[in-house]
Amino acid sequence: MSQQIALLRDFFDPEQPADDQPAPGLTPKGLASQDLAPQGPSRAGAPQPALPEHPALWRAGQLRPAGLAISTGYPELDQVLAGGWPADGLNELLLDSDGIGELQLLMPAMRTLSQSQQRWIVWINPPYRPCAPALAELGIDLDKILMIYPRNASEALWSLEKVLRSGGSSMALAWIDESALTIRNSRRLQLAARQGHCCCTLFRPGSAAEQSSMARLRLALTASGPETVQVDVRKRQGAWPVSGLQIRLDHAPGRQSARATRIRRQLEDWRRLDVQYPGAAAPQSARRSARRATTGANLNSQRQRPARQASVVH
């Protein structure tokens, strides 16, 4: 018994400081004792230690990125996502109908990654075949696009995990059957995305919001108007959920915006002819001028389209 007491005396200093100050040798790794020293009076008047700055600590009133982020291209969305899409994590887009703007939200980030990195942008089991000329119009390098069409849900899940863990892809988009997306599998995908430094996005139905998921980011999307989508942030790391964010899908800079301007001018020319000559045919010269403008714009658009197709894996 006396030997046990002696060992305890060796472990615990009889002159150990008070509870509000760290004992020597027990200071957290990487923090000096003065970092935990009292900085000011608390509500009760007693000194209160200052919280250290550490990525694993989150203050409820603070929004800061938990890691690297890729800008979404929409400033209002970047603001609530602390910089943009997680560059090494699992995201989920929850929607009840296709074609409401879910891909347009990802296009600016996809364009940035295709132009700045040499890694693949992988599409796994998309419900529709992507249009290569449309992607090229948005400035996306088609040589970086890789299409994978698995035969079933288990192969799709296996393919996605291998793509994420390999480190050879900067972005992955996947449409996987809900029966395979258990919380265990979502955790595996999250860990694989972190290991491979890949921005992964799953497209899931709106009912999946009631299920648990290990995704770092979950956004519910609903169409709220022409070229406008409402974004409800159901889950984000390091902050509370927010809802009712209206995003105008004006994502197309450069060539795409110039092409849209030409189309608007063509429509204005045709409407002007209808106003000048209501119920009657326009003069041959006016119709020839409008037709020439339309044909020239279409030819210019076709010249800008590269004759390349996305790689496809079956």
Side-chain angles (χ1 to χ4, degrees):
M1 178 64 70
S2 60
Q3 294 179 354
Q4 295 176 355
I5 294 176
L7 289 175
L8 290 175
R9 287 176 179 173
D10 293 338
F11 265 104
F12 298 99
D13 189 352
E15 298 182 357
Q16 184 177 358
D19 294 337
D20 59 346
Q21 296 184 5
L26 298 180
T27 304
K29 183 178 180 181
L31 296 176
S33 299
Q34 59 269 21
D35 293 335
L36 300 178
Q39 299 295 327
S42 63
R43 294 181 180 178
Q48 183 179 9
L51 290 176
E53 294 291 337
H54 192 278
L57 297 178
W58 169 59
R59 297 177 177 87
Q62 183 183 39
L63 175 63
R64 63 179 179 181
L68 296 178
I70 306 170
S71 174
T72 65
Y74 304 92
E76 59 272 33
L77 190 56
D78 286 346
Q79 184 176 1
V80 299
L81 299 184
W85 307 107
D88 55 352
L90 178 64
N91 313 311
E92 290 183 359
L93 298 185
L94 313 176
L95 59 157
D96 290 324
S97 58
D98 300 329
I100 63 173
E102 65 274 17
L103 288 178
Q104 295 183 33
L105 285 178
L106 296 169
M107 288 298 109
M110 186 181 298
R111 178 174 57 249
T112 299
L113 292 175
S114 71
Q115 295 177 357
S116 62
Q117 298 191 19
Q118 298 301 318
R119 299 191 295 168
W120 290 106
I121 295 177
V122 182
W123 300 52
I124 297 181
N125 200 31
Y128 311 99
R129 187 177 297 272
C131 179
L135 294 177
E137 283 285 344
L138 295 175
I140 296 173
D141 187 356
L142 298 181
D143 291 336
K144 309 289 178 56
I145 301 295
L146 177 65
M147 311 295 299
I148 301 178
Y149 293 92
R151 291 174 293 185
N152 50 53
S154 60
E155 285 190 3
L157 191 64
W158 180 87
S159 301
L160 179 58
E161 184 176 356
K162 293 298 182 181
V163 164
L164 298 178
R165 203 176 297 277
S166 67
S169 303
S170 60
M171 175 179 282
L173 313 180
W175 291 258
I176 298 179
D177 189 85
E178 284 297 302
S179 61
L181 291 178
T182 62
I183 187 170
R184 177 177 179 272
N185 288 335
S186 68
R187 176 171 176 79
R188 290 176 62 92
L189 294 178
Q190 164 61 27
L191 294 177
R194 183 190 304 175
Q195 178 180 347
H197 301 283
C198 181
C199 178
C200 176
T201 300
L202 294 178
F203 297 85
R204 306 184 63 181
S207 58
E210 306 300 328
Q211 304 175 12
S212 299
S213 173
M214 297 303 295
R216 287 175 54 181
L217 179 65
R218 306 187 83 187
L219 304 182
L221 308 180
T222 53
S224 59
E227 296 296 322
T228 305
V229 62
Q230 176 175 316
V231 178
D232 298 324
V233 182
R234 297 297 183 88
K235 176 184 178 182
R236 54 178 176 166
Q237 188 170 359
W240 303 107
V242 295
S243 59
L245 186 63
Q246 301 292 327
I247 302 297
R248 176 73 176 176
L249 299 175
D250 187 17
H251 68 285
R255 293 177 298 173
Q256 182 71 7
S257 60
R259 182 170 179 266
T261 301
R262 291 195 302 270
I263 294 176
R264 284 195 297 268
R265 290 177 179 175
Q266 295 166 22
L267 293 176
E268 291 173 358
D269 292 340
W270 285 107
R271 293 192 186 101
R272 186 168 57 252
L273 291 177
D274 291 338
V275 171
Q276 292 177 356
Y277 307 96
Q284 185 70 19
S285 59
R287 286 188 283 114
R288 187 183 300 110
S289 177
R291 188 181 301 109
R292 187 183 302 112
T294 304
T295 305
N298 291 336
L299 290 176
N300 290 335
S301 176
Q302 293 176 1
R303 292 192 189 101
Q304 293 175 356
R305 297 177 181 176
R308 294 178 293 178
Q309 295 294 329
S311 303
V312 180
V313 177
H314 292 280

